[in-house]
Amino acid sequence: PVWESLKSRFYKKKYDPIFKLTRMKEEEIINITKKFVKEELKDAEGGHDWWHIERVVNNTKLISQSEPVNKFAAELAALLHDIADAKFHDGNEDTGPEKAKDFLDPLSVKKDIVNHVENIIRNISFKGGNFSTNFYSRELAVVQDADRLDAIGAIGIARAFHYGGFKNREIYNPSIAPDLQMDKETYKKSAGPTINHFYEKLLLIKDRMQTETGKKLAEERHHFMEIFLEHFYREWSGE
């Protein structure tokens, strides 16, 4: 596997005095990271696989064009943000950032960049409508907007129902109302119908975007979800 070959190659070099004097180019680090992420997520659930990562990276690059950010740190964070999503690791929110740090350390990435990427990964997730974080950076704002764009619109709808099917959840149940007061822990444990997820997360995202580009893109995707829901309820009622 890519990760094993990287470990044997770079962990050894980490302690080589000659290697310490030679810093890898950012482009090389990005390419190695892509290979690592592709290998790690090759069997991932379809809404959190490599293609999700690629879309978030592309969104990150687009938003970064008009934001004063460290583009290298932002792209690394976008690539590694779902390397071990807590949803698929018994809710453990440390697995992802720790795995990203363990991967980056041997690649001669500057310590401040590694720490920054780790902090972005720790704070990027939605975690419920009533949760806030004390950490902020422009890079987090860009990558978070990029990730949230992939959770709304046509792709967001497809991902929501794919994950709902993966967890064997109901599509919709009129007797189960969305819970708009969930705290972080309740949100993590929620197993409600997929339609409820629109009100508990997806329709809230537009007003939480932080960059100008993100806000503009979110408007159109939000509107598409509203149209989808309107049609969904009509068809559900047999209209």
Side-chain angles (χ1 to χ4, degrees), residues 25-62:
K25 293 180 180 179
E26 291 182 355
E27 183 179 357
E28 293 177 311
I29 294 171
I30 291 294
N31 288 334
I32 288 171
T33 304
K34 287 179 180 178
K35 292 178 182 178
F36 168 60
V37 175
K38 283 183 179 180
E39 176 68 21
E40 288 293 300
L41 299 183
K42 65 181 181 181
D43 297 318
E45 181 267 328
H48 299 81
D49 58 3
W50 164 252
W51 299 114
H52 164 63
I53 301 300
E54 184 174 76
R55 293 190 300 270
V56 173
V57 169
N58 289 338
N59 288 341
T60 295
K61 289 179 178 179
L62 175 61

Side-chain angles (χ1 to χ4, degrees), residues 26-34 37 50 53-62 64 69-82 100 103-104 113 116-117 120-121 124 138-140 142-144 146:
E26 291 182 355
E27 183 179 357
E28 293 177 311
I29 294 171
I30 291 294
N31 288 334
I32 288 171
T33 304
K34 287 179 180 178
V37 175
W50 164 252
I53 301 300
E54 184 174 76
R55 293 190 300 270
V56 173
V57 169
N58 289 338
N59 288 341
T60 295
K61 289 179 178 179
L62 175 61
S64 293
V69 296
N70 183 317
K71 292 180 171 59
F72 177 55
E75 186 168 355
L76 279 180
L79 282 166
L80 293 164
H81 80 278
D82 265 348
F103 169 75
L104 292 174
I113 296 290
H116 194 178
V117 169
I120 290 172
I121 296 171
I124 192 171
R138 289 191 297 266
E139 290 75 17
L140 170 62
V142 167
V143 181
Q144 197 167 49

